[in-house]
Amino acid sequence: MSSVEERVRKIVVEQLGVKEEEVTMDASFVDDLGADSLDTVELVMALEEEFETEIPDEDAEKITKVKEAVDYVNAHLG
Amino acid sequence: MSDSILAGEIALVTGASRGIGAAIADELARLGAKVAGTATTETGAARIAERLGAAAEGCIGLCLDVTKQASVDAALVAVEEQLGSKPTILVNNAGITRDNLLMRMKEAEWDAILDTNLTSAFRLCKACARSMTKARHGRIINVSSVVGVSGNAGQCNYAASKAGLIGFSKSLARELGPRGITVNVVAPGFIDTDMTRELPEAQRDALLASIPLGRLGAAEEIAAAVAFLAMPAAAYITGQTIHVNGGMLMV
């Protein structure tokens, strides 16, 4: 079983079409990884599927970096 | 043109019990889509199922109140359960009129029209956008009206809702274009349906005189435009409004 961090990073790589080494914990989806606003919506959709949960819009808006996604999953599905 | 050109597509058509919506549902079914047609009552839904079922397999009727989010959510679940996936074609056709001069118009008449004709499209598009985005495929066709562009005395509410659909569709077309989803509008003119049969004789005659083709349109002629926008051939058309009005308004 992969760790939450590995699973999140894998999704980011797939969704945004970026290289694995670019997906550092501090990377911002928009500023560092070239995501547009629709990409970030789709990224949250993919996270919801991977972790079988629903992320409310108000929480989703706060997930702007890889670390924030990992933290969110750990906090809500731990 | 192949009769199964829409095979594999799942179409949701609101307001499909009569008039333009019924013709759209029939045409999409004829072209091979699995169609879910909605009505506001269970008996209406049953009649749609019967009519569509007689013509094509895998078509259903659903009861849907487009002004209720819970009803929209339930309809989407029903489509997925009974037809195998979420809609790949969405036709927002359901609409009502509450005509009145502005100075006599009650706020309730305004609200009812905006909610049923415009906010309904917001609810349904939002509910379908997710699965279409994932699939990188989808066709959204919103049924507006010539009066949304030309204006019409006594229809401030209706015209506002129908013009609203056009701006809404253009914006959504820009949002979803990058994901292979097209959003277009068909704006019918004066079509022979129950809605237009309610018009006073004098108004009807005056309208007819303003139509170069000199006759009312048929619901099937609107359905043909909607069906075209759903076809693979229309893949490069998005954010547009197709006017089907016998020339009564040329845009």
Side-chain angles (χ1 to χ4, degrees):
Chain A
M1 190 68 181
S2 337
S3 72
V4 165
E5 183 183 336
E6 283 165 345
R7 289 161 73 190
V8 168
R9 292 182 64 191
K10 184 163 174 281
I11 287 171
V12 174
V13 166
E14 282 170 5
Q15 285 291 320
L16 302 183
V18 290
K19 294 200 187 84
E20 219 177 315
E21 55 266 30
E22 291 178 82
V23 187
T24 61
M25 286 294 268
D26 280 332
S28 152
F29 300 129
V30 173
D31 295 335
D32 300 319
L33 303 176
D36 65 19
S37 53
L38 191 51
D39 289 326
T40 61
V41 172
E42 281 194 272
L43 190 60
V44 169
M45 278 164 52
L47 290 171
E48 288 178 330
E49 270 176 32
E50 172 71 18
F51 296 101
E52 292 174 355
T53 182
E54 273 195 34
I55 303 175
D57 288 344
E58 53 271 28
D59 288 343
E61 283 164 15
K62 291 178 201 143
I63 301 175
T64 62
K65 292 179 172 184
V66 178
K67 184 178 187 307
E68 288 163 355
V70 172
D71 288 348
Y72 182 88
V73 173
N74 280 328
H76 290 81
L77 304 167
Chain B
M1 191 180 298
S2 163
D3 272 354
S4 56
I5 198 160
L6 296 181
E9 304 289 342
I10 310 288
L12 177 62
V13 182
T14 65
S17 62
R18 58 199 174 120
I20 291 171
I24 293 168
D26 290 351
E27 180 65 2
L28 296 180
R30 190 183 70 80
L31 294 171
K34 288 185 187 172
V35 179
T38 79
T40 49
T41 62
E42 289 293 349
T43 49
R47 271 203 298 275
I48 292 170
E50 205 175 305
R51 200 186 68 237
L52 288 175
E57 269 188 48
C59 292
I60 59 172
L62 293 174
C63 189
L64 169 65
D65 179 348
V66 294
T67 67
K68 302 275 189 300
Q69 186 63 51
S71 181
V72 169
D73 294 341
L76 267 290
V77 169
V79 169
E80 189 168 22
E81 281 177 1
Q82 296 179 48
L83 299 183
S85 94
K86 291 263 173 62
T88 57
I89 300 168
L90 169 65
V91 182
N92 285 303
N93 166 76
I96 56 171
T97 55
R98 292 276 186 284
D99 296 355
N100 214 338
L101 294 172
L102 179 73
M103 283 187 284
R104 294 186 190 282
M105 189 177 288
K106 308 270 189 301
E107 194 162 326
E109 290 172 325
W110 172 267
D111 288 343
I113 293 296
L114 269 288
D115 197 11
T116 303
N117 295 3
L118 179 59
T119 313
S120 58
F122 158 79
R123 293 186 189 101
L124 278 144
C125 288
K126 195 174 171 188
C128 292
R130 191 184 175 112
S131 57
M132 287 181 178
T133 299
K134 264 191 71 106
R136 296 290 190 265
H137 168 68
R139 297 292 169 90
I140 295 173
I141 300 140
N142 294 320
V143 179
S144 177
S145 165
V146 63
V147 307
V149 180
S150 68
N152 194 23
Q155 292 198 305
C156 287
N157 50 1
Y158 185 77
S161 73
K162 294 301 189 179
L165 277 176
I166 294 175
F168 170 83
S169 301
K170 288 177 179 175
S171 301
L172 189 59
R174 289 184 187 276
E175 283 188 22
L176 298 180
R179 298 300 183 267
I181 301 163
T182 69
V183 186
N184 290 289
V185 174
V186 172
F190 199 30
I191 307 303
D192 188 20
T193 65
D194 291 346
M195 193 185 274
T196 52
R197 269 174 226 130
E198 284 169 10
L199 289 171
E201 188 77 26
Q203 201 181 344
R204 220 179 139 86
D205 289 346
L207 270 166
L208 268 180
S210 71
I211 302 172
L213 289 178
R215 64 173 176 86
L216 299 181
E220 291 71 24
E221 290 170 315
I222 304 303
V226 171
F228 167 64
L229 289 169
M231 286 177 192
Y236 201 53
I237 301 174
T238 196
Q240 307 301 319
T241 299
I242 297 188
H243 290 268
V244 185
N245 60 28
M248 76 182 277
L249 179 76
M250 301 184 188
V251 186

